[in-house]
Amino acid sequence: MKKSLLLTGLVLAGISLSGKAESKVYVFDNLGIVGGVSDNGQYAAITDDEQYLAYIWRASDPNKLIDITEVGEPNAPAAQTPVFTTAMDVSDDGIVVGSIGYADYYQYPAYYKDGIWNQLPIDPDAVNTNEAVCITPDGKIIAGYQYMKLTSGTGASRGQYIPCQWFLQEDGSYELKTYKDIKLPDHQGFYPMTQTPDGKVIGGQVFAGFGSNLNALLVEGKLVMFDEISTVKDCLEYKGKYYTGVDENGRQTWTDDINDPNIIWDERELINGYFDGIRGESSMMNGFFTNCDSNGNFYGARSYVSDVTEDNDGEVTNSAVIYNYLTDTWYNEEAVNFFSAGIGEKLIFTGEGDVIQGNEFKPVKEAYGINSNYTINGISKISSDAKTIAGVASDINPAIGEYQYYPFIIQVDSDINGIPEIAGSPKKGLVIATPGRIEVLNADNVAVYDMNGRLAGTDKVTEVSAGVYVVKADDASYKIVVK
């Protein structure tokens, strides 16, 4: 069931919210982005991808960030020399989950407890990219991913992101459960982003089609997707002739007989009957769940396909969505890029840096009276009662002309029913880096360069290897770390 929130009129009209939150705002000069906020609002986990640092914020000492970056012994072997640490989420008692990356380019899931980082177990088939992404409030279940070797299929990377969980044992260790048996499209796999407070459901995105990503859940170990993936055979056709390969002189060979056994056939994936490569990168579908609340609501974005033709073309409509897995109900709004967090449908944070409370709409800077020289871009994570709210701010480094991102924390004192709130991302070009891929939103002209100045791509989605890249989105530049 799909239900519209009907916010378009409010967006255009700019209706003001009544009342003002009583809040304390902490905008830090440390670079970084908040990966998670504990449900009780006492902690936040923060990662600085540019300088490879990890921090924890504590409500008991809210004016500073505590560096929890893992540091190795001098002159240790590459496999024992940490070069970066990520902090992706935190439990109610301050257990931080994330990863440790080493000089041999291997990244291991890990958790930080009592001042020490501890590596989590990985599957024997896991290769170099593995991370813990979220933890339940009680610290008993950790969710994340492992990059696993492909044993079949034609995926160019020969591997997939496979979701997994680690369960706390009586002796204090965590036992691994890898969901290798789920059937995924022949692409890069399932990338988890969030899980329910009881750990029964993982939310995220599945890579499929020509280059799309689709909403997906893992409900008690079973994959749930909302789009139909089918596979058809396809061949290269030009002016009524079909490609059969090359001859002994290296020249292409063609036939006009569709039944010729020499025709080279490939398989391609269709999403709801639609092939997202027909009109290039701009026609790809975009779906993901980035956060969830305790009432079964998952917040994110989804693409819908309509008017599919016989040649597998169609119209793609993008929408911000809330999906409640308990009632199988969708709430959507096409005027918003994505919803990043919320509490039910009464309090929603948008991808445009605004808050929706009831039917009222307001920028976060106004809603909380934030006074900062930085641009306040939006909210990314919240506590279960939304009285601790974490977001991202930015400015441009004048020396290099690139955006820099800073974390901020808001502590709200007033009752939740009387406060407006928000979440989101920059209104200008937004660059999203996920393992093996760079995606650019809100920009017409895109160019991705590696650190040697080589052009890696000009599309809004570029698949890349791990490393540091400079992304130009219209007239702005960003430095991005891809794992």
Side-chain angles (χ1 to χ4, degrees), residues 187-188 205 207-208 210-213 276 280-287 430-441 443-448 456-464 471:
H187 216 287
Q188 288 183 292
Q205 62 185 29
F207 301 100
F210 181 77
S212 291
N213 45 275
D276 58 5
E281 303 285 354
S282 62
S283 65
M284 292 188 299
M285 300 175 65
N286 183 38
L430 169 66
V431 180
I432 302 173
T434 55
R437 129 190 199 129
I438 294 172
E439 182 175 2
V440 181
L441 303 176
D444 295 322
N445 300 304
V446 175
V448 180
T458 57
D459 295 316
K460 292 188 178 180
V461 176
T462 303
E463 293 188 0
V464 294
V471 181

Side-chain angles (χ1 to χ4, degrees), residues 267-284:
E267 288 189 345
R268 75 181 190 194
E269 289 176 342
L270 302 179
I271 303 170
N272 302 327
Y274 170 73
F275 177 47
D276 58 5
I278 288 178
R279 288 178 281 118
E281 303 285 354
S282 62
S283 65
M284 292 188 299

Side-chain angles (χ1 to χ4, degrees), residues 195-274:
Q195 70 176 342
T196 52
D198 59 9
K200 291 183 177 180
V201 184
I202 299 172
Q205 62 185 29
V206 163
F207 301 100
F210 181 77
S212 291
N213 45 275
L214 308 174
N215 305 79
L217 298 176
L218 198 67
V219 182
E220 297 187 15
K222 297 185 182 299
L223 180 66
V224 176
M225 293 184 63
F226 309 94
D227 300 282
E228 181 181 347
I229 309 297
S230 58
T231 303
V232 296
K233 286 190 174 182
D234 188 31
C235 65
L236 185 60
E237 180 183 359
Y238 180 70
K239 293 184 177 180
K241 293 184 179 294
Y242 306 93
Y243 182 64
T244 57
V246 294
D247 61 20
E248 63 276 9
N249 298 314
R251 296 174 179 173
Q252 294 182 349
T253 58
W254 301 78
T255 180
D256 55 8
D257 180 6
I258 189 62
N259 297 312
D260 190 324
N262 295 312
I263 294 175
I264 297 177
W265 293 92
D266 295 313
E267 288 189 345
R268 75 181 190 194
E269 289 176 342
L270 302 179
I271 303 170
N272 302 327
Y274 170 73

Side-chain angles (χ1 to χ4, degrees), residues 67-176:
D67 190 338
I68 58 170
T69 306
E70 174 75 339
V71 178
E73 296 294 329
N75 303 316
Q80 301 172 24
T81 305
V83 294
F84 69 85
T85 309
T86 67
M88 302 300 293
D89 197 14
V90 59
S91 69
D92 281 351
D93 55 358
I95 302 173
V96 177
V97 297
S99 67
I100 301 171
Y102 293 89
D104 63 356
Y105 301 105
Y106 270 73
Q107 178 183 3
Y108 291 91
Y111 67 95
Y112 177 87
K113 182 180 180 181
D114 299 329
I116 300 173
W117 279 97
N118 306 271
Q119 287 189 23
L120 290 160
I122 61 172
D123 191 276
D125 292 328
V127 286
N128 61 341
T129 306
N130 313 278
E131 189 171 34
V133 175
C134 42
I135 185 170
T136 54
D138 59 12
K140 293 183 177 180
I141 303 175
I142 300 170
Y145 63 85
Q146 298 173 89
Y147 196 71
M148 310 286 289
K149 299 174 185 176
L150 273 179
T151 56
S152 62
T154 60
S157 62
R158 308 306 304 163
Q160 288 188 321
Y161 296 103
I162 301 297
C164 60
Q165 288 179 305
W166 294 268
F167 296 87
L168 183 64
Q169 305 300 298
E170 290 185 1
D171 63 0
S173 65
Y174 283 91
E175 183 177 282
L176 171 68

